[in-house]
Amino acid sequence: MHGYIKADHKDQLTNRLRRIEGQVRGVQRMVDEEAYCVDILTQISSLIAASEKVAALVLRDHVEHCVKESIRNEDEAEEKIDELVAAVERFLKV
Amino acid sequence: MHGYIKADHKDQLTNRLRRIEGQVRGVQRMVDEEAYCVDILTQISSLIAASEKVAALVLRDHVEHCVKESIRNEDEAEEKIDELVAAVERFLKV
Amino acid sequence: MHGYIKADHKDQLTNRLRRIEGQVRGVQRMVDEEAYCVDILTQISSLIAASEKVAALVLRDHVEHCVKESIRNEDEAEEKIDELVAAVERFLKV
Amino acid sequence: MHGYIKADHKDQLTNRLRRIEGQVRGVQRMVDEEAYCVDILTQISSLIAASEKVAALVLRDHVEHCVKESIRNEDEAEEKIDELVAAVERFLKV
């Protein structure tokens, strides 16, 4: 099954994910060099916030495209809606 | 200022951070190959959960070592406690 | 504007919200009686988790009804999708 | 076991908890009157954020008093630290 991400979102996502990858490597380096724990924690909370922003962008494109299409075409709309709510629940960990 | 991470936690953290780095690169690849959005979202929620586990481990060592030491030695205990609560607040985003 | 909540979800929500109200009052009592802080924290994390479950249920009905209808009828579908993503973002605090 | 909440925090907590109780009842009323789902979701995310602020305040007093005392008196310091980290983990759901 194929997804759909807006062309200009794709660049944004790629840039953000590269920055997140850099943040993860930064945390690795900090652990390695025994940096101050609170600074490590700050870096981790910042990479989590950045990852959530990436998720929000992917979610928007998913709803705007896939969910909308499936509802319009009456094609597996229920499954798509279930999937969407389940995805949000995984973020809320409910 | 130097932090303190238990020797066996250091290996654990390194392994987990490598896995998280792999997950971030996995998301990059999925975006690139236009994978299904819900699968991308699942991968992101899983890397966030893994990052929170890393944070919990760092937090534990921080409290067990730095905060404890500073309270014992009556050395900047208030600052350390403020810092700790502020770090937790950044995770709760309050 | 009117919302839509499934009849059997309405009872479930009412019951859950009553329990959450009881939990909030429980926390008030604990603060009043100077209960042990960790027990207060546990009660708060439990009422937050319960509130998130309520939100997931409301979200499901909203997508299944309002968002679906607006897409089907091509009636303010963009606004509805924007609103939905913004609502999820408020939970993620992004 | 008794907790410890600063006198001026106690009033603050009581006021905030009353407001949160009002928010929960507000959600009940909105569900009852079939208010617009997105407005219900906004109200729920706002009561969750308020509950997290209450938790942060309780946490601060707990660390400043109980955890500090137990470390100073070398009295169950390990248990107190374990408990503290476990409490934070329940908020992060890790």
Side-chain angles (χ1 to χ4, degrees), chain A residues 5-56:
Chain A
I5 286 169
K6 263 193 203 164
D8 61 322
H9 280 181
K10 206 166 166 175
D11 289 343
Q12 256 191 68
L13 288 170
T14 303
N15 289 335
R16 287 177 186 216
L17 286 163
R18 253 181 224 145
R19 219 172 307 138
I20 293 169
E21 196 191 328
Q23 287 177 301
V24 177
R25 268 205 296 266
V27 175
Q28 289 175 328
R29 210 168 28 242
M30 290 168 100
V31 166
D32 215 53
E33 298 170 353
E34 309 198 0
Y36 187 49
C37 297
V38 172
D39 296 334
I40 301 181
L41 290 171
T42 301
Q43 184 78 347
I44 299 173
S45 55
S46 142
L47 85 83
I48 289 175
S51 303
E52 288 172 334
K53 268 184 204 140
V54 164

Side-chain angles (χ1 to χ4, degrees), chain C residues 1-5 10 13-14 17-18 20-21 24-25 27-28 31-38 40-42 44-45 47-49 51-52 54-55 58-59 62 66 80 83 87 90-91 93, chain D residues 1-5 10 13-14 17-18 20-21 24-25 27-28 31-38 40-42 44-45 47-49 51-52 54-55 58-59 62 66 80 83 87 90-91 93:
Chain C
M1 187 165 1
H2 268 271
Y4 176 85
I5 287 167
K10 206 167 166 175
L13 288 170
T14 303
L17 285 164
R18 254 181 222 145
I20 292 169
E21 197 191 327
V24 177
R25 269 205 296 265
V27 175
Q28 288 175 328
V31 166
D32 214 54
E33 299 169 353
E34 307 198 359
Y36 188 49
C37 298
V38 172
I40 301 181
L41 289 171
T42 302
I44 299 173
S45 56
L47 84 84
I48 289 174
S51 304
E52 288 172 333
V54 164
V58 173
L59 183 77
H62 179 60
C66 305
K80 286 284 170 294
E83 240 183 30
R90 272 194 294 279
F91 280 92
K93 296 177 195 154
Chain D
M1 183 164 0
H2 268 271
Y4 176 85
I5 286 168
K10 207 167 166 175
L13 288 170
T14 303
L17 286 163
R18 254 180 223 145
I20 293 169
E21 197 191 328
V24 178
R25 268 206 296 266
V27 176
Q28 289 174 329
V31 166
D32 215 53
E33 299 170 354
E34 309 198 0
Y36 188 49
C37 298
V38 171
I40 301 181
L41 289 171
T42 302
I44 299 173
S45 56
L47 84 84
I48 289 174
S51 304
E52 288 172 334
V54 164
V58 174
L59 183 76
H62 179 60
C66 306
K80 286 284 171 296
E83 240 182 30
R90 271 194 293 280
F91 279 92
K93 297 179 194 152

